[in-house]
């Protein structure tokens, strides 16, 4: 494995993964169309890694343009496929847009990979495929029943890839991410949502004075303090899980491997806000609101399989996750929008 093509490499998880790939000695080819990202992280990640990437601005639905990338780049050893839409609420309102982007775009990519004999792929799946799990921590063999169009696209993609790896002898790793948070230690690369849907970017913006308060979506769950519990994972640890997956594919011939990527430890909304207060020294106002439709009480990973088979485990704890998120937020109050 030498040359890795990364779709969505300008995005939050993609950009962190490209840095880790470069640090591990891989050549990186990025395909991104800036649907939900900007070019700035590409400059920054190359500077941080001290190495350059090859970049192509291409939408995955554009088969001819994608084909031209594979022709131009020559031998690609594996693909890491991040590019997708990811807002749950939006997916409920615009299901066709989600199916078209996340499914049709991926199918086009897989067709082009098959044509060029590229048979290794790491796919960004999500703990969202488990829906409301019967028990936590969740193991990979728990039932898959996603509850919204975004989650359905992830579950469908998993099925498509299992069938594809079986038919064409591909090697596939499906990584089911729990809740990615935090930023690169430099504070130069991070999550850049204009309007955050997820908890931690929202808390960051309240701490920074951009928003007035955090609404806690329900405090009557059957959890440690009544607020929702999640398994937050440092984005750099998550990025490293992709490098481990590429190493695994280099040794493993074919078939689909599925791994949960989380720390195994859950924190409540209240615990997250309190830790953020301590780290930032800022007041963070909270208001308890109703439950968000579709939310579950608790979701944590059993990541034993990734520990044993990928040789991966999380190295950062909550403190480091929040310190890095706050460093990124403080250094880039408007995300990448202020970048020259
Ligand atoms: C969400 C998505 C999930 C996706 C994941 C990606 C939903 C229902 N689920 O997971 O499909 O894979 O993001 O990162 O959107 N919370 C508040 N106030 C807020 C925001 C969140 O109290 O302003 C609470 C939520 O109720 C939850 C926890 O914080 O208990 C985490 O929420 P969030 O960051 O949105 O992640 P998930 O809902 O777990």
């Amino acid at each position: 494995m030498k040359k890795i093509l990364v779709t969505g490499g300008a995005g939050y998880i993609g950009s962190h993964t490209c840095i880790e790939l470069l640090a591990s000695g891989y050549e990186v080819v990025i395909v991104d169309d800036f649907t939900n990202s900007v070019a700035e992280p590409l400059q920054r990640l190359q500077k941080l890694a001290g190495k350059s990437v090859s970049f192509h601005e291409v939408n995955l639905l554009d088969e001819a343009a994608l084909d031209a990338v594979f022709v131009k780049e020559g031998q690609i050893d594996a693909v890491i496929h991040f590019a997708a839409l990811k807002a749950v609420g939006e997916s409920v309102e615009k299901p066709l847009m989600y199916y078209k982007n996340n499914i049709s775009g991926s199918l086009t990519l897989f067709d082009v990979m098959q044509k060029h004999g590229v048979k290794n792929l790491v796919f960004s799946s999500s703990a969202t495929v488990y829906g409301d799990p019967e028990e936590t921590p969740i193991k990979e063999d728990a039932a898959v029943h996603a509850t919204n169009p975004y989650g359905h696209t992830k579950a469908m993609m998993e099925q498509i890839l299992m069938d594809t790896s079986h038919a064409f002898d591909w090697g596939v790793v499906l990584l089911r991410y729990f809740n990615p948070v935090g930023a690169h230690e430099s504070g130069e690369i991070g999550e850049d949502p204009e309007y955050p849907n997820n908890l931690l970017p929202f808390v960051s913006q309240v701490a920074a004075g951009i928003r007035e308060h955090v609404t806690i979506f329900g405090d009557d769950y059957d959890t440690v303090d009544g607020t929702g519990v999640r398994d937050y994972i440092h984005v750099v640890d998550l990025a490293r899980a992709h490098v481990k997956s590429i190493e695994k594919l280099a040794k493993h011939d074919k078939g689909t491997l599925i791994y949960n990527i989380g720390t195994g430890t859950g924190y409540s909304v209240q615990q997250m806000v309190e830790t953020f207060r301590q780290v930032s020294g800022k007041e963070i106002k909270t208001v308890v609101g109703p439950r968000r439709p579709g939310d579950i009480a608790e979701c944590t990973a059993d990541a034993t399989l990734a520990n044993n088979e990928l040789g991966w485990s999380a190295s950062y704890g909550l403190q480091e996750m929040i310190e890095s998120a706050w460093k990124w937020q403080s250094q880039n109050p408007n995300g990448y929008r202020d970048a020259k």
Side-chain angles (χ1 to χ4, degrees):
M1 295 277 179
K2 195 168 152 229
K3 200 177 205 180
I4 315 295
L5 185 140
V6 180
T7 74
Y12 172 45
I13 304 169
S15 55
H16 287 86
T17 300
C18 289
I19 293 180
E20 297 303 318
L21 285 168
L22 291 168
S24 303
Y26 293 98
E27 284 176 45
V28 173
V29 177
I30 297 179
V31 171
D32 202 303
D33 70 347
F34 302 131
T35 293
N36 199 16
S37 60
V38 292
E40 180 63 19
L42 299 179
Q43 313 311 324
R44 295 192 186 183
L45 76 88
Q46 291 177 94
K47 212 169 142 196
L48 288 168
K51 290 180 182 170
S52 55
V53 301
S54 171
F55 174 70
H56 303 269
E57 187 173 344
V58 168
N59 182 298
L60 293 187
L61 289 160
D62 186 346
E63 185 164 354
L66 202 53
D67 189 68
V69 171
F70 280 72
V71 170
K72 179 156 188 288
E73 293 292 344
Q75 191 188 330
I76 304 237
D77 299 300
V79 172
I80 305 182
H81 180 30
F82 293 106
L85 299 174
K86 61 171 186 181
V88 172
E90 185 185 52
S91 81
V92 174
E93 273 150 35
K94 300 177 181 169
L96 296 182
M97 185 170 101
Y98 271 67
Y99 289 117
K100 187 164 184 183
N101 267 279
N102 294 7
I103 307 278
S104 302
S106 301
L107 291 175
T108 310
L109 169 69
F110 303 161
D111 266 343
V112 175
M113 284 173 63
Q114 179 64 4
K115 181 176 161 195
H116 290 273
V118 180
K119 288 170 173 277
N120 292 300
L121 181 114
V122 181
F123 178 67
S124 39
S125 189
S126 167
T128 203
V129 300
Y130 296 117
D132 194 353
E134 269 166 31
E135 51 186 50
T136 56
I138 307 170
K139 286 191 168 49
E140 287 84 351
D141 59 5
V144 165
H145 40 67
T147 57
N148 56 68
Y150 161 73
H152 290 141
T153 68
K154 292 293 177 193
M156 286 177 192
M157 289 307 308
E158 289 196 350
Q159 187 61 55
I160 289 167
L161 283 166
M162 286 187 257
D163 294 340
T164 303
S165 67
H166 179 74
F168 300 146
D169 287 346
W170 284 21
V172 171
V173 176
L174 308 176
L175 296 181
R176 291 178 177 162
Y177 313 154
F178 280 65
N179 288 59
V181 295
H184 190 263
E185 60 173 6
S186 63
E188 290 285 304
I189 306 264
E191 188 171 12
D192 182 25
E194 259 189 75
Y195 189 86
N197 291 304
N198 298 119
L199 178 67
L200 212 68
F202 209 97
V203 175
S204 298
Q205 294 193 359
V206 174
I210 299 168
R211 299 188 195 280
E212 210 251 325
H213 67 266
V214 179
T215 303
I216 296 179
F217 296 149
D219 67 352
D220 57 352
Y221 286 105
D222 183 16
T223 60
V224 57
D225 57 20
T227 64
V229 168
R230 295 292 183 273
D231 185 333
Y232 296 92
I233 172 83
H234 196 303
V235 67
V236 172
D237 273 331
L238 177 56
R240 289 177 184 156
H242 294 79
V243 178
K244 291 285 189 189
S245 301
I246 293 289
E247 289 168 7
K248 179 80 179 168
L249 286 174
K251 286 181 253 152
H252 176 89
D253 351 308
K254 52 194 150 187
T256 303
L257 300 167
I258 305 179
Y259 301 109
N260 286 337
I261 303 296
T263 64
T265 304
Y267 293 100
S268 73
V269 176
Q270 293 280 26
Q271 289 168 331
M272 295 300 282
V273 173
E274 190 46 42
T275 310
F276 215 110
R277 284 189 186 113
Q278 285 163 14
V279 165
S280 65
K282 301 284 179 187
E283 215 184 294
I284 299 172
K285 193 176 161 198
T286 58
V287 172
V288 177
R291 292 183 177 192
R292 181 171 62 180
D295 271 359
I296 56 177
E298 187 155 345
C299 178
T300 56
D302 180 332
T304 311
L305 213 56
N307 300 164
N308 293 344
E309 295 188 8
L310 290 181
W312 173 89
S313 60
S315 56
Y316 296 111
L318 184 61
Q319 189 78 12
E320 288 143 318
M321 296 183 212
I322 293 188
E323 277 169 6
S324 66
W326 181 235
K327 185 171 184 185
W328 155 254
Q329 176 69 51
S330 313
Q331 283 181 208
N332 306 271
N334 296 305
Y336 295 117
R337 285 177 292 285
D338 285 343
K340 306 247 165 15

